[in-house]
């Protein structure tokens, strides 16, 4: 899947998750959060594997877990989606710069 298509899917999914959260039961909100944080962790591990994780992504995931434990599942889901987005953008940045040579920004 191209980078643009991936980005569109991520944004659409995030919009659906956030937009539908108001009418969800507690169990559905919990499940949505669990899916979002699992996706964020998976994307973060991928970018860690290439040594290109962004500075604040781990903090976003920790904050998501903290607010989820306090029952703020919608906010936690938003943070997890943002963390995943950051990891995916970081991986795309890595792909664009990995062959840039010695003058690349790294």
């Amino acid at each position: 899947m191209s980078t643009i298509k991936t980005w569109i899917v991520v944004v659409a999914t995030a919009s659906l998750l956030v937009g539908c959260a108001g009418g969800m039961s507690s169990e559905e909100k919990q499940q949505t959060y669990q899916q979002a944080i699992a996706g964020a962790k998976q994307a973060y591990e991928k970018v860690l594997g290439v040594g290109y994780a962004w500075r604040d992504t781990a903090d976003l995931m920790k904050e998501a877990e903290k607010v989820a434990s306090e029952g703020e599942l919608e906010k936690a889901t938003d943070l997890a989606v943002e963390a995943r987005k950051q990891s995916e953008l970081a991986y795309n940045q890595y792909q664009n710069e990995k062959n840039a040579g010695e003058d690349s920004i790294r």
Side-chain angles (χ1 to χ4, degrees):
M1 189 180 291
S2 74
T3 303
I4 293 172
K5 287 181 183 176
T6 301
W7 179 244
I8 290 170
V9 169
V10 168
V11 171
T13 302
S15 296
L16 287 172
L17 292 175
V18 173
C20 295
M24 292 183 185
S25 69
S26 295
E27 186 176 302
E28 290 169 325
K29 288 179 185 179
Q30 180 66 32
Q31 185 177 20
T32 299
Y33 163 71
Q34 290 297 329
Q35 291 172 344
I37 197 69
K41 288 178 179 182
Q42 182 180 16
Y44 187 66
E45 288 299 319
K46 180 178 178 180
V47 79
L48 276 178
V50 296
Y52 227 78
W54 287 358
R55 180 194 66 208
D56 297 333
T57 307
D59 291 339
L60 276 173
M61 289 188 297
K62 287 178 189 173
E63 182 68 14
E65 291 173 334
K66 178 181 176 243
V67 298
S69 71
E70 296 168 352
E72 297 182 57
L73 295 173
E74 291 175 33
K75 182 177 179 181
T77 299
D78 290 346
L79 290 166
V81 168
E82 178 63 25
R84 180 178 179 170
K85 180 175 71 173
Q86 283 192 11
S87 290
E88 290 172 347
L89 289 170
Y91 191 79
N92 289 339
Q93 181 180 18
Y94 163 75
Q95 291 293 337
N96 291 332
E97 295 179 2
K98 71 180 179 179
N99 297 319
E102 304 247 344
D103 295 331
S104 67
I105 303 170
R106 180 128 195 216

